[in-house]
Amino acid sequence: MRAFRWPPPPDGGPRTCGPGPGGPRTGRPPLPEPETELVTTPHGVRLEQLVTGTGDPVTVFAHGLGNGIATTRPFGSGVTGRRVFFQFRGHGRSDAPDGPWSYLDLARDLRAVADLSGATRAFGASLGAGALGRLLVESPERFERVVFFLPAALDRPRGPVARARLSELLAAVESGDAAAVAEVVSTEMPPAVCNTPAGWAYLRQRLDHLLRDGLAAGLADLPDQAPLPDAAALAKVTAPALVIAAEGDDLHPVQVAEQLAAALPRATLHRYARPGVLWTERADLRGRISDFLNG
C-alpha cells in the first residue's frame, strides 16, 4: 500500500496507478456548498447551522472534534423531517468565546440549537456524543430518540492517542501549511482509500474548511476532560438510544460504547467489526441510523 502523498493530483485520481489518461474516472467535481446561517443562542454564542428537509420531526446533528456540518450531513440522508446540522463553538463560522471550555459549554450549544429548532431527536458523533450525553444528564427527558456514534469518552478523559492527534491537528491548522494539515487529516481515512478519487475529494473538502475557518485554541483542553461526572447519571434517560461502535478504533474505544450502552436504560449497541465504517459500511450505517430515528 502506497503512503499518502501531497499535493493531490490535479484530476483527483490516483497519482501512479489506476486507469491511464484515457481511462474512466469516478471522481466528480464537488457540488457547491449550501448556504449556512448564524443563529444567536440564549447564552450569547452565535453558532453556524444548516437546515435541510421539511416538516416534523426535527433532528439535530452534533459533530466530532475538528469536524463540522459537512461530515455529519451523510448521517442524515435517510432521516425524515427537518435535519439541523450545526458547528460547535470554535468550529467553522461559529463564535469562539474566551475559554477554557467544558463539555457543559458544548451541551449548552447543542441544547440551544435543539430548542431553537424544536428538535425532538438527536445524533452525536464522538465529541458530539459526549456533549449529547452531558445534555441528557442535565435533562434526561429532552429527546425522544438519540444516536451516539463512536463515543470517545464518558466519565473519564480521552487517552493519549486522542490528545496527541488533536495537538497535531491544531498545530497544523495554526501553521496554515496545507500539506501538514493533510497529513493529519489523512489518518481519518482507511489506507485503502487515501489515494482514490473519493479519498482526495474528502481530503480537499476537509482542508478547505480547516484552512478557511481554522480551529479555536480553546478546543485543546477538551481531551483532558470527561464529558460526564458519573455515567450512572444516565439511568434517568427515558429515550430509546442507539450506540454505534467499531472494533479497532483507537480514538473511539469499544469499551466506551459498551459502558454507555450499559448506562442507558433503553439502549441498543451495534458493533462493526473494523474501523473506518464511514467508508466500508456507509450504506448499512446510514440505513441503521435512519431506521432507528424514523422508528
Side-chain angles (χ1 to χ4, degrees):
M1 182 59 61
R2 290 185 313 278
F4 163 78
R5 299 187 182 192
W6 185 265
D11 58 2
R15 184 178 292 277
T16 59
C17 73
R25 298 285 185 184
T26 58
R28 297 179 181 178
L31 296 174
E33 291 187 12
E35 290 189 11
T36 59
E37 60 181 335
L38 287 174
V39 295
T40 300
T41 65
H43 55 288
V45 178
R46 295 182 308 159
L47 300 174
E48 183 180 8
Q49 76 170 23
L50 170 71
V51 180
T52 65
T54 59
D56 293 323
V58 180
T59 307
V60 62
F61 292 80
H63 62 81
L65 186 59
N67 286 276
I69 291 172
T71 53
T72 50
R73 286 189 68 193
F75 297 111
S77 59
V79 176
T80 57
R82 276 180 295 149
R83 300 172 293 274
V84 182
F85 307 91
F86 78 101
Q87 315 256 73
F88 281 115
R89 62 184 61 201
H91 294 79
R93 295 197 295 135
S94 293
D95 286 348
D98 291 338
W101 304 332
S102 69
Y103 276 93
L104 187 59
D105 294 313
L106 302 181
R108 187 174 291 121
D109 290 348
L110 174 55
R111 181 196 295 274
V113 173
D115 289 350
L116 290 170
S117 62
T120 58
R121 307 181 298 187
F123 169 96
S126 192
L127 177 80
L132 176 57
R134 184 55 185 263
L135 190 161
L136 291 173
V137 167
E138 308 297 325
S139 301
E141 300 180 356
R142 176 59 186 82
F143 296 108
E144 296 175 359
R145 284 183 176 267
V146 290
V147 175
F148 295 86
F149 177 68
L150 301 183
L154 200 56
D155 52 9
R156 297 180 181 178
R158 301 186 70 172
V161 174
R163 291 195 291 270
R165 183 74 57 83
L166 176 60
S167 296
E168 292 171 0
L169 180 60
L170 288 172
V173 172
E174 178 66 22
S175 75
D177 183 348
V181 178
E183 288 289 349
V184 180
V185 172
S186 66
T187 62
E188 300 172 6
M189 301 182 289
V193 303
C194 280
N195 282 318
T196 66
W200 285 117
Y202 173 82
L203 193 59
R204 287 177 185 275
Q205 180 189 64
R206 293 278 283 122
L207 261 65
D208 285 346
H209 292 167
L210 289 169
L211 293 175
R212 179 190 66 202
D213 300 321
L215 289 172
L219 300 171
D221 295 328
L222 288 171
D224 295 319
Q225 302 178 37
L228 312 184
D230 185 353
L234 294 173
K236 296 181 180 180
V237 175
T238 58
L242 174 62
V243 181
I244 300 174
E247 301 282 354
D249 188 330
D250 293 337
L251 295 180
H252 309 94
V254 170
Q255 292 81 0
V256 173
E258 292 173 338
Q259 183 187 5
L260 175 59
L264 292 163
R266 303 177 64 190
T268 299
L269 173 64
H270 180 78
R271 282 188 292 260
Y272 286 100
R274 54 180 175 170
V277 294
L278 272 172
W279 301 93
T280 61
E281 303 285 354
R282 194 178 186 90
D284 181 85
L285 177 63
R286 292 195 294 190
R288 192 173 299 277
I289 291 169
S290 60
D291 287 348
F292 176 82
L293 289 175
N294 296 340

